[in-house]
Amino acid sequence: MRNRNLDYSSIIGLVLILFVLITFTYFNNYKEYKEKELNFNHKKFVVKKEIFRTDNNKKNNFFLLENNVLKFKLSSLGGIISDVILKKYKSYDDSLSHHAKNLYLIKNFSLEYKLFFQNKKGFNIDTNLLYFKPFLFVKNEKNGIKILIMRATNPYGKGFIDYIYKIRENQYDIHFSIRTQNFSSFFKEGYRCHLRLEHNILSLEKDRDWENSYTQVYYSIFNENSISSVKYLSEKKTEDKNIDETNWIAHKQQFFSFIFIPDKKLKNVFIKSENFFSGSFLKKIQLNTFINTNENKEIHSSFRFYFGPLDLNLLKKYQNNFENIIPFGWGFLKWINKYFFLVVFQFLERTNLNYGIIIILMTIVVKLILYPITYKQYKLSAMMKLIRPEIEKLNSKYKGDVLKKQRAIMELYHNVGINPMSGCISTLFQIPIFYSLFKFFPTLINLRGKSFLWVEDLTSYDSILKLPFFIPFYGNHVSLLTLLYSLALLVYTKLSNDGKNDFSQNENNSSVSDMNFLLYLMPIVMLFFINSYASALSLYYFISNIINIGFFFFIKELILDEKKIFLKIQEKKMIKHNSWKEMIKKIGNKKYKNPMKE
């Protein structure tokens, strides 16, 4: 049996990474949950049967409103937006295997919103059953503003309900105002007005399940110190919540979002998120709230609807903390992605090179920055190999006394100038970077739909073979980049674990075999773990391991001189030994000169 050298700090790091991956996989598995009962203020929300009915003979008409980035289709029935097209983006087309279809963020009334009025006499008005007619259209060429007023009449007498839509050029939001006029006959007995919104979120990307894992509800609230913070509902299960005060609510997808923004803080808001595990919809989001502030007064409430991309710079311009809905990760991982990886990526993006090349250059930049840590790890590994014979002697000498053996080994480390924790600390330092990239590439809209070599979309997996069956954790396809990465990781593991100058170890060392097993298990785990992840991630890790292999030969063959290191170790040992002898000699001389003081 050929004996192997072990870098224990690397093994500790790999075990920690394996633990992180297993934990991450567990919390991202899809599980079906039973739907919870819809609540409003912790009580069942009951809706009375509407007295008013629409005239079935009326015809529903549609009207267009657009700027240079958005195109809206409005319905006369209900006066609501039935379709929203993002002009500068495309959705994934299965038949063409790339992003080619018009991107409908809203389609065929997948977003519905309405007012529901109830007065004390029991008369109800549901605005989705009213027909709205275009009352006024204003277009200001100078300011790039377009305003469309849709008007419906009060079915119980005098009065109107106006829906006012206003858009500007180059803006992804539309202003939406609700205004009642001459509704005093309906309001005089007192009334309640509910705003209800339901959104069935459409799937737009290649991998529906992966996209669904990035789709969830975010909302902004004020804490006790009047500081706004962003919270969210679960992306994996059905969940509902009552919110006392909210600034805005976002229905976030992987790369796009609908954000509901009231001009004034909404009080007493109920939101619910429900998962769909098949079909063209990802989730259903429901929202209920009151909008009338005083009884017997006309309603005049304003909102904004944001329909647009999750672009960090664009969202920052709205100055409402919208950028916090981009899932760059939690805690310090978010800071690594926002203020390191994104900055490096945006700098390289200015080269106008293919995005695959940009990722390769980005990998090189990161590896060069981490080179000092890599060098220290290789140097520590070389020094550990050189003192291996000494460690084996101590193992044999103190075979029956573990405590003495550990003390002797630590003394040996101290004598030769080795800090065994330094390698572990270096490995731990790289784990946040390793994990941050799992959140970075799948959420970067700049990479969406961008191709490289055989890869169709760098934010989704690359597939060279479709399997007729599904393998748990692996999927139903074969990713070539994942295979290349796992192979490169296996080669690097072999090189770093099998040096040319390994020293002998006991053949029947079960702990060594177990640790070797963990080392070689890692490429297999990664093969299964990232097969369905963004191909940009697999490309980064493949290039990273190719660079690691290059560093291995460069440092081992050209930088590190093991003979010099060995001589330095012996020199340090001699210095420590001579210092110890000299100290003992001084103590002895002192005792000889002062025998009466003992």
Side-chain angles (χ1 to χ4, degrees):
M1 175 180 177
R2 185 179 178 182
N3 300 313
R4 293 178 170 84
N5 168 69
L6 289 173
D7 184 345
Y8 289 92
S9 62
S10 296
I11 291 170
I12 293 170
L14 287 172
V15 171
L16 288 171
I17 290 173
L18 184 62
F19 172 76
V20 170
L21 292 176
I22 292 172
T23 304
F24 186 75
T25 304
Y26 174 78
F27 284 108
N28 279 276
N29 281 339
Y30 293 103
K31 296 180 180 180
E32 294 194 19
Y33 289 81
K34 293 182 179 179
E35 179 179 344
K36 297 179 181 178
E37 186 180 35
L38 178 61
N39 285 288
F40 188 79
N41 289 337
H42 305 287
K43 296 179 181 179
K44 188 178 290 184
F45 189 77
V46 180
V47 177
K48 291 183 179 180
K49 192 174 182 181
E50 295 84 357
I51 295 175
F52 175 69
R53 290 288 182 270
T54 58
D55 185 352
N56 293 327
N57 294 323
K58 289 185 178 180
K59 182 181 178 182
N60 188 20
N61 296 309
F62 294 95
F63 311 95
L64 296 180
L65 188 64
E66 61 183 304
N67 58 16
N68 59 328
V69 294
L70 293 173
K71 184 176 182 178
F72 298 95
K73 184 178 177 182
L74 293 99
S75 167
S76 61
L77 179 60
I80 64 175
I81 299 169
S82 64
D83 297 335
V84 178
I85 295 177
L86 272 64
K87 293 182 176 181
K88 294 186 177 182
Y89 296 90
K90 299 292 182 180
S91 62
Y92 188 78
D93 190 332
D94 289 323
S95 61
L96 298 175
S97 298
H98 67 273
H99 293 80
K101 297 191 298 185
N102 285 335
L103 195 152
Y104 283 88
L105 205 56
I106 307 298
K107 188 175 183 180
N108 296 331
F109 300 97
S110 58
L111 171 69
E112 290 190 349
Y113 48 95
K114 66 179 180 179
L115 297 181
F116 187 79
F117 297 91
Q118 285 181 305
N119 68 7
K120 289 184 178 180
K121 288 185 176 181
F123 293 107
N124 302 331
I125 298 176
D126 183 343
T127 57
N128 270 11
L129 301 177
L130 299 179
Y131 278 92
F132 287 74
K133 295 180 180 180
F135 174 70
L136 179 66
F137 178 76
V138 178
K139 182 178 180 182
N140 189 322
E141 295 287 353
K142 185 177 180 180
N143 297 324
I145 297 175
K146 297 176 183 177
I147 301 173
L148 175 63
I149 301 177
M150 307 277 287
R151 171 169 288 184
T153 57
N154 179 3
Y156 297 108
K158 295 180 180 179
F160 305 96
I161 302 174
D162 289 339
Y163 280 1
I164 306 166
Y165 295 96
K166 181 173 72 172
I167 61 171
R168 293 175 179 268
E169 289 298 315
N170 302 309
Q171 297 295 313
Y172 281 97
D173 62 331
I174 181 170
H175 289 253
F176 170 59
S177 297
I178 302 166
R179 181 178 63 193
T180 61
Q181 295 185 47
N182 301 322
F183 252 61
S184 56
S185 61
F186 186 85
F187 292 161
K188 67 181 180 180
E189 300 295 336
Y191 74 101
R192 291 193 306 170
C193 181
H194 301 294
L195 173 65
R196 302 178 187 173
L197 183 147
E198 184 174 299
H199 184 195
N200 290 310
I201 299 178
L202 293 162
S203 176
L204 305 171
E205 309 303 330
K206 177 181 179 180
D207 190 336
R208 183 193 180 282
D209 290 339
W210 182 252
E211 182 185 8
N212 203 10
S213 68
Y214 278 90
T215 302
Q216 63 187 124
V217 175
Y218 283 74
Y219 56 94
S220 173
I221 60 173
F222 282 102
N223 59 23
E224 296 176 353
N225 300 318
S226 297
I227 299 174
S228 64
S229 60
V230 176
K231 306 290 184 180
Y232 52 85
L233 300 185
S234 172
E235 76 277 14
K236 298 188 295 294
K237 63 180 182 180
T238 295
E239 186 177 2
D240 56 58
K241 201 170 205 59
N242 288 290
I243 309 170
D244 292 332
E245 291 185 346
T246 182
N247 305 312
W248 49 262
I249 299 171
H251 304 172
K252 184 197 74 68
Q253 298 176 234
Q254 187 174 1
F255 298 108
F256 303 94
S257 185
F258 161 68
I259 307 177
F260 176 71
I261 314 148
D263 277 5
K264 298 179 180 179
K265 287 185 294 185
L266 286 179
K267 297 182 179 180
N268 199 16
V269 179
F270 171 82
I271 53 174
K272 179 180 179 181
S273 172
E274 177 186 355
N275 262 346
F276 293 128
F277 295 95
S278 61
S280 58
F281 296 127
L282 301 172
K283 285 180 173 66
K284 180 167 72 174
I285 313 299
Q286 295 172 302
L287 180 151
N288 289 300
T289 188
F290 294 103
I291 66 166
N292 62 316
T293 55
N294 296 299
E295 291 188 355
N296 307 321
K297 286 192 176 182
E298 300 283 358
I299 292 175
H300 195 174
S301 298
S302 297
F303 310 89
R304 282 186 296 152
F305 295 160
Y306 174 88
F307 300 96
L310 294 178
D311 181 281
L312 182 67
N313 295 328
L314 175 64
L315 293 175
K316 279 184 175 180
K317 291 179 180 178
Y318 287 90
Q319 298 179 346
N320 221 335
N321 293 326
F322 294 155
E323 66 272 12
N324 289 328
I325 69 176
I326 301 177
F328 280 135
W330 49 267
F332 64 94
L333 300 181
K334 183 175 183 177
W335 294 96
I336 292 173
N337 280 328
K338 284 181 69 173
Y339 300 110
F340 177 64
F341 284 119
L342 187 62
V343 171
V344 173
F345 179 87
Q346 289 178 337
F347 175 78
L348 294 173
E349 196 176 23
R350 296 173 188 171
T351 62
N352 293 321
L353 294 170
N354 179 276
Y355 279 92
I357 302 297
I358 289 173
I359 293 171
I360 293 172
L361 292 175
M362 179 178 170
T363 312
I364 294 171
V365 170
V366 174
K367 296 304 290 185
L368 289 175
I369 292 172
L370 296 176
Y371 175 78
I373 295 175
T374 305
Y375 173 75
K376 286 183 178 180
Q377 284 183 307
Y378 283 136
K379 185 177 180 179
L380 177 63
S381 178
M383 294 177 74
M384 292 291 288
K385 285 194 289 185
L386 291 172
I387 65 168
R388 177 65 61 186
E390 300 291 334
I391 293 176
E392 290 301 321
K393 288 178 183 179
L394 294 174
N395 285 336
S396 300
K397 184 177 180 180
Y398 301 104
K399 191 172 184 180
D401 194 330
V402 177
L403 187 59
K404 284 186 177 180
K405 181 176 70 174
Q406 288 179 344
R407 286 178 179 173
I409 291 174
M410 291 306 295
E411 185 178 351
L412 174 63
Y413 287 159
H414 178 70
N415 289 338
V416 300
I418 289 178
N419 181 4
M421 289 300 296
S422 63
C424 183
I425 292 170
S426 299
T427 304
L428 288 173
F429 181 79
Q430 296 184 64
I431 290 177
I433 294 176
F434 177 87
Y435 182 70
S436 295
L437 293 167
F438 281 89
K439 288 292 186 180
F440 181 74
F441 288 119
T443 59
L444 195 62
I445 194 169
N446 308 58
L447 292 176
R448 182 181 180 270
K450 300 299 188 295
S451 61
F452 176 64
L453 300 177
W454 66 89
V455 179
E456 300 161 355
D457 181 4
L458 285 165
T459 60
S460 185
Y461 60 83
D462 64 301
S463 178
I464 59 168
L465 179 64
K466 193 78 172 177
L467 301 176
F469 48 84
F470 181 86
I471 301 174
F473 297 103
Y474 185 76
N476 61 352
H477 63 275
V478 177
S479 168
L480 179 57
L481 274 176
T482 305
L483 285 173
L484 292 173
Y485 160 56
S486 298
L487 181 61
L489 179 59
L490 181 64
V491 172
Y492 174 65
T493 303
K494 180 74 174 174
L495 288 172
S496 59
N497 196 40
D498 286 347
K500 294 180 179 179
N501 301 315
D502 286 351
F503 291 93
S504 62
Q505 299 178 26
N506 295 328
E507 291 186 5
N508 297 320
N509 193 333
S510 60
S511 63
V512 170
S513 300
D514 292 341
M515 290 181 180
N516 278 327
F517 172 75
L518 286 175
L519 285 171
Y520 290 109
L521 178 65
M522 200 64 187
I524 299 173
V525 171
M526 295 305 296
L527 178 65
F528 277 81
F529 183 70
I530 68 170
N531 189 61
S532 295
Y533 271 65
S535 53
L537 181 71
S538 299
L539 175 62
Y540 179 95
Y541 284 136
F542 169 62
I543 299 300
S544 178
N545 277 276
I546 293 298
I547 295 172
N548 282 340
I549 293 170
F551 278 170
F552 178 86
F553 287 110
F554 177 73
I555 295 172
K556 185 177 178 62
E557 302 297 334
L558 301 176
I559 303 299
L560 287 180
D561 189 332
E562 292 191 358
K563 290 182 179 179
K564 286 184 179 180
I565 293 175
F566 182 76
L567 289 174
K568 284 185 178 181
I569 289 173
Q570 296 303 317
E571 184 181 337
K572 286 182 180 180
K573 286 172 63 178
M574 288 299 296
I575 292 171
K576 294 285 185 182
H577 181 69
N578 292 335
S579 298
W580 180 254
K581 285 178 68 177
E582 191 172 337
M583 187 184 299
I584 293 173
K585 186 177 179 181
K586 285 181 179 179
I587 293 171
N589 291 337
K590 190 175 182 181
K591 287 182 178 180
Y592 181 75
K593 289 180 181 179
N594 302 282
M596 297 300 293
K597 291 184 179 182
E598 291 183 354

